[in-house]
Amino acid sequence: EIVMTQSPATLSVSPGERATLSCRASQSVSSNLAWYQQKPGQAPRLLIYGASTRATGIPARFSGSGSGTEFTLTISSLQSEDFAVYYCQQYNNWPPDTFGQGTKLEIK
Amino acid sequence: QVQLVQSGAEVKKPGASVKVSCKASGYTFTSYGISWVRQAPGQGLEWMGWISAYNGNTNYAQKLQGRVTMTTDTSTSTAYMELRSLRSDDTAVYYCARILKGYFQHWGQGTLVTVSS
């Protein structure tokens, strides 16, 4: 089973600044990596798939990069609605689908 | 628009079973698979398994093998997840999600299942 490790666990950033979240796979997942955003009391929402393709309706301030074992989600200028928990998920070696443990993005 | 609407919250006693439904609309149900993901209170996301809405093929997480069954009813575009022999650590929000090429494209709103004596 591929283990996904996200860092940091918590990230404190001021509105308007850039946030960089990391996700590492225990073995290569090629570009089969997705990112999700989850707000309290809500279901997760797909942000990025294929490591770098934004899902429908996702603002351009969200971008994904990486391949193999190292991935990054960047939010270029944080808006108030962006403070949430973010999860990465690999879908290269399935089953099982595996998620990272999440990064909580909080207001500084 | 694609919608996945799940059944309501459940409270069950240890050892009981629960069956959660997920009614799909806005797309051709049999063209996509459905996965189930759960989230214990304050915890991360755990994949439970997948079912093909086309032919009913399934794949379950190893830790749930023998306790979980996923089915679909194509006549009503509804997917079901049944979990048996419930334990307190099965307390979680259970989500269904439509799968596209392995990622979770659309999610249901979640169903809270509480296991308590």
Side-chain angles (χ1 to χ4, degrees), chain B residues 9-19 67 83-91 94 112-117:
Chain B
E10 303 262 14
V11 179
K12 297 292 183 180
K13 294 192 182 302
S17 299
V18 69
K19 191 170 186 177
R67 288 207 298 140
L83 189 61
R84 300 176 293 278
S85 302
L86 289 168
R87 312 186 288 245
S88 57
D89 61 356
D90 291 318
T91 294
Y94 289 75
L112 174 62
V113 176
T114 303
V115 183
S116 174
S117 55

Side-chain angles (χ1 to χ4, degrees), chain B residues 50-92:
Chain B
W50 164 88
I51 182 165
S52 166
Y54 174 71
N55 58 17
N57 286 350
T58 56
N59 202 300
Y60 301 137
Q62 191 167 8
K63 69 177 288 188
L64 296 174
Q65 288 273 3
R67 288 207 298 140
V68 67
T69 301
M70 295 175 188
T71 57
T72 59
D73 181 345
T74 56
S75 69
T76 60
S77 299
T78 302
Y80 298 92
M81 185 284 299
E82 181 180 33
L83 189 61
R84 300 176 293 278
S85 302
L86 289 168
R87 312 186 288 245
S88 57
D89 61 356
D90 291 318
T91 294

Side-chain angles (χ1 to χ4, degrees), chain B residues 22-45:
Chain B
C22 169
K23 183 171 177 59
S25 61
Y27 71 97
T28 301
F29 182 66
T30 52
S31 294
Y32 297 84
I34 294 284
S35 277
W36 290 86
V37 174
R38 68 179 181 179
Q39 186 171 38
Q43 302 301 308
L45 302 169

